[in-house]
Amino acid sequence: MKSFNSRRGRAIVVAIAAGSLALTGCSENKGGSSDKDSKKDQKEAAVQSKAVTYGDAAASTGPAEEVAGAKSGGTIQVFQEAGLSHLDPGQIYVSDAGQVANLLFRGLTNFEEDGKGGVSVVGDLATDSGKSSDGGKTWTFTLKDGVKDENGKAITSADIRHTVERQYAEFIFDGPTYLQTWLSGAKYREALPDGGFGKKHLPDDVLETPDDKTVIFHFKTPQVDLPQTLAMPGYAVVPEETDTKAKYDKAPVSTGPYKISEYKVGKTLKLVKNENWDPKTDSVRHQYVDGFNFDFGVTESTQTSRLIADQGDSKDAIQLTGSVEATKIQDVISDAAVNKRTIKGYQPYVMVLNFNLDRVKNKKVRDAITYGLNSKSLIAGEGGAYGGDVAPNLFAPTLPGYEAKYDPYGRLKTPSGNIPKAKELLKDVPAAEKKLVFAYSNNEQGQKRKVAIEDALSKIGIDVVSKEVDAASYSEQVAKLDNPYDMYINGWGQDWPSPGTVVTPVYDGDQIADGSPNYSHINDPKVQALIKKALTQEPTEAAATWKEAHHYILEKVNSSAPLWYTKQFQLYGSNIGGARYSTESSYIDVTRLFLKS
């Protein structure tokens, strides 16, 4: 979803789409806006749940529409606290790497935005958003002329086949699995154990590449959401000739407007122009600046202080996925000149406390913790009403089917925790079951969460043993099946506005694996049956099934305690032009930035 150019061609509403994922974001607030403002924010968030459009060839033809006042030249400074966990497209499924991916990589399709909440899917490497036949079971894509990688090698259908097949390899464990499971089922790795690096490939009745320009996907069931899926960074092309397998994570090959000139993992990343990117083939991205210098290890408080001061290189700087540090929110909003340099938006993420069901097997304990959690203190650490709202359930306000009043644990009535109810549930629970290990990331956000969790749970009689985890690899560590933790905070947002992109990846027992976002390892027969039922229904019919699954997961299993819905509040330097909130990424839109001078 980038800058949608409504002048180009027709667009057809065909499916529900567009969203994103995050696992980051926490700060603190001494002041904020009112509950009335939060309700207004939630109504505005519903814009993100509307159907997207699929663009034709005209809508997919570059160059992208010019950004008003744009100039060329200069280097943008990027502040980020944690380092990137991955740069291999197949491993990208979190927001920070997703932001970088849109500068470096291209897939068959991409999202384009109109700046008003409207989103379309257009052809990126492909000439359009795809042509479906056979009732949505077959999808055909034709590659554009003139698309090359950073080495000047033309991208062909063989590269697309390779990109799909390498997703089956064991070394790819952190990325999305929609396409693989749609093509080959839940045990897709068994269909191609070596990921296509040997002599075996997916058969033509699954993936067909009849010539250098044509790619045809064959599914057993209709997959109307395929264009959105292929727009995810996790399905960006990896040229076959330069694929170094597991080593690719540290030195990927670019197909986008920028390429890597230097990468010191966890410290710095420098991007420069990719001379082999042709703007005439790209209807979404721009190449206004000469490059981007990423500086990792910069805390949110330091980011905010530098950007408020707006001196030197900070005038040319942005926050990547960080937010205005909570204690400094009033400094920002009370200064009109500084507040003018912010972007704000409602994100599609629900932050939850995941219970490792392999370890926390007593539902009374899980229920007691859910009642006892203090969402109010956690949200204070996010920036108050500027950072988030209390989450009564597992569906965000940006999702179709959101029920604002569905609150089985009384989170809205007792946002600071229902301590008597929690204690009552725990009164007969053995002490050993009340001693739980909580994993937190070793950054400013993680520290604040740790304090809030320890404070709330100690009041209900839970003995919390907190364990620090490296922030850059936090999501990877807690996603390991044999992780040594009982509880950990994660966030999940729709991959596009369909409840299926929340329920399936996070609560599907078939998705349990190292790196899977099924962080709680939930594997419930009824949930499995409801997922299978919903996936065979039309979206309007499926809505009731997804609702039933949501209620059952939250009330009967309780694998994840809802904490808060997230909002974005970012600051950028005074010399940054073209800044706006991206509905698709939920952060600053990096595809259209320039320096004013």
Side-chain angles (χ1 to χ4, degrees), residues 137-334:
K137 293 180 183 179
T138 300
W139 282 86
T140 301
F141 296 86
T142 303
L143 296 180
K144 293 175 179 175
D145 294 326
V147 289
K148 302 175 182 178
D149 66 19
E150 67 175 72
N151 299 311
K153 182 182 178 297
I155 299 299
T156 70
S157 62
D159 295 308
I160 305 302
R161 172 180 283 279
H162 175 73
T163 298
V164 174
E165 292 182 340
R166 75 191 297 273
Q167 297 274 5
Y168 289 63
E170 290 292 338
F171 70 85
I172 300 292
F173 56 87
D174 251 2
T177 61
Y178 293 108
L179 182 59
Q180 305 93 292
T181 54
W182 290 348
L183 289 171
S184 304
K187 297 181 179 180
Y188 63 87
R189 292 194 195 275
E190 295 177 4
L192 199 64
D194 66 356
F197 287 94
K199 293 182 179 180
K200 186 179 179 182
H201 296 281
L202 293 175
D204 282 352
D205 61 359
V206 173
L207 176 60
E208 192 177 354
T209 50
D211 56 53
D212 284 350
K213 290 289 183 123
T214 308
V215 179
I216 306 171
F217 296 96
H218 298 283
F219 303 101
K220 293 179 181 177
T221 57
Q223 300 298 344
V224 295
D225 289 342
L226 182 65
Q228 294 93 278
T229 309
L230 294 174
M232 297 172 70
Y235 294 115
V237 69
V238 174
E240 182 176 19
E241 191 176 281
T242 46
D243 190 350
T244 53
K245 299 186 179 180
K247 295 179 181 178
Y248 197 75
D249 223 358
K250 301 297 184 285
V253 172
S254 168
T255 49
Y258 296 91
K259 63 182 180 181
I260 298 171
S261 67
E262 182 183 307
Y263 184 31
K264 295 179 181 178
V265 178
K267 296 180 180 179
T268 58
L269 171 67
K270 294 184 179 181
L271 306 184
V272 296
K273 285 186 176 181
N274 172 12
E275 302 86 351
N276 283 300
W277 171 79
D278 185 350
K280 293 194 296 292
T281 70
D282 198 327
S283 67
V284 176
R285 302 170 188 81
H286 296 280
Q287 197 188 51
Y288 291 129
V289 296
D290 296 329
F292 292 80
N293 286 348
F294 293 76
D295 192 2
F296 301 108
V298 184
T299 64
E300 283 194 342
S301 55
T302 301
Q303 293 175 29
T304 307
S305 295
R306 289 182 184 176
L307 288 166
I308 289 175
D310 198 42
Q311 299 295 313
D313 286 351
S314 294
K315 291 183 178 181
D316 302 340
I318 63 170
Q319 293 183 294
L320 185 66
T321 59
S323 303
V324 172
E325 203 276 328
T327 60
K328 297 179 173 64
I329 283 179
Q330 286 299 324
D331 295 336
V332 173
I333 62 176
S334 61

Side-chain angles (χ1 to χ4, degrees), residues 3 66-71 76 115 286 288-289 318 343 572-582 587-596:
S3 49
E66 288 296 318
V67 177
K71 298 180 180 179
I76 290 178
H286 296 280
Y288 291 129
V289 296
I318 63 170
I343 61 161
Y572 55 88
S574 61
N575 198 35
I576 295 289
R580 73 177 184 190
Y581 178 75
S582 164
Y587 299 100
I588 191 169
D589 187 342
V590 295
T591 66
R592 47 184 279 121
L593 299 177
F594 64 90
L595 293 179
K596 298 175 184 176

Side-chain angles (χ1 to χ4, degrees), residues 437-443 446-447 450 465-471 474 477 485:
V437 179
F438 171 67
Y440 68 97
S441 60
N442 64 343
N443 55 14
Q447 290 287 346
K450 168 183 173 287
V465 180
S466 297
K467 296 289 186 181
E468 183 181 276
V469 179
D470 175 61
Y474 174 82
Q477 296 303 316
Y485 315 117

Side-chain angles (χ1 to χ4, degrees), residues 363-443:
K363 186 172 183 288
K364 279 189 177 181
V365 174
R366 303 197 298 271
D367 287 353
I369 290 172
T370 305
Y371 278 110
L373 286 165
N374 189 335
S375 287
K376 195 170 182 180
S377 67
L378 285 161
I379 292 170
E382 282 288 299
Y386 284 93
D389 293 332
V390 175
N393 58 64
L394 303 171
F395 280 7
T398 58
L399 196 67
Y402 171 64
E403 300 171 87
K405 295 181 181 179
Y406 175 51
D407 186 15
Y409 293 94
R411 306 298 299 147
L412 297 174
K413 293 179 182 177
T414 55
S416 297
N418 186 337
I419 295 173
K421 177 70 173 178
K423 285 184 172 181
E424 175 67 21
L425 286 166
L426 290 173
K427 68 178 182 180
D428 296 323
V429 173
E433 294 184 30
K434 293 188 285 188
K435 185 173 183 178
L436 301 174
V437 179
F438 171 67
Y440 68 97
S441 60
N442 64 343
N443 55 14

